[in-house]
Amino acid sequence: MPHIIIEHSASLDTDFSQLLKSIHQSTIDTNLFDASTIKTRRVAFPQCLLGDGKTDFVHVQVHLLAGRTQTQKQHLSESLLNTLRTLLSDSVSLSVHPYDLDPAIYRKN
């Protein structure tokens, strides 16, 4: 834990390997998780409409087990958003959202 899902427009012109590695490392650098438990992946969306006049987006979802404080989640969110800002231009719509998973119903093997 956590599961980090990087959603983005398929038309985005960037080095996706670098994006994936940078977001993964930024998560490690927060010192909120055991590095061996972090899972990072990306999903491209072939079509999107953005209300802010931008044509590309990156949205990072962070699914984590409940128990982190609001301050810890804010730190995580800001760290990941700052990483996105360093990698991508102002023309890309950027967002990050941590989500708490309910440990009573979350399952894995």
Side-chain angles (χ1 to χ4, degrees):
M1 216 23 87
H3 290 272
I4 302 168
I5 304 163
I6 303 168
E7 299 178 333
H8 63 86
S9 48
S11 60
L12 183 65
D13 182 22
T14 194
D15 179 347
F16 291 109
S17 178
Q18 180 63 34
L19 177 66
L20 200 68
K21 289 176 187 174
S22 295
I23 290 295
H24 193 88
Q25 187 60 51
S26 291
T27 305
I28 292 169
D29 292 346
T30 65
N31 295 313
L32 294 173
F33 312 99
D34 176 350
S36 68
T37 66
I38 301 169
K39 298 160 190 76
T40 307
R41 56 193 178 268
R42 68 179 182 88
V43 179
F45 289 84
Q47 295 182 324
C48 67
L49 295 173
L50 304 174
D52 57 8
K54 298 179 181 182
T55 56
D56 288 307
F57 77 93
V58 174
H59 174 69
V60 178
Q61 298 181 39
V62 183
H63 299 269
L64 54 134
L65 289 175
R68 303 295 187 306
T69 67
Q70 190 76 5
T71 301
Q72 289 172 318
K73 289 185 275 189
Q74 287 171 336
H75 171 64
L76 173 63
S77 186
E78 283 297 323
S79 294
L80 297 181
L81 185 60
N82 287 336
T83 298
L84 292 175
R85 286 180 180 137
T86 64
L87 296 171
L88 301 163
S89 74
D90 291 339
S91 66
V92 180
S93 180
L94 306 175
S95 57
V96 177
H97 189 183
Y99 295 89
D100 284 336
L101 296 174
D102 183 345
I105 59 174
Y106 174 76
R107 297 291 182 263
K108 70 175 190 172
N109 78 7

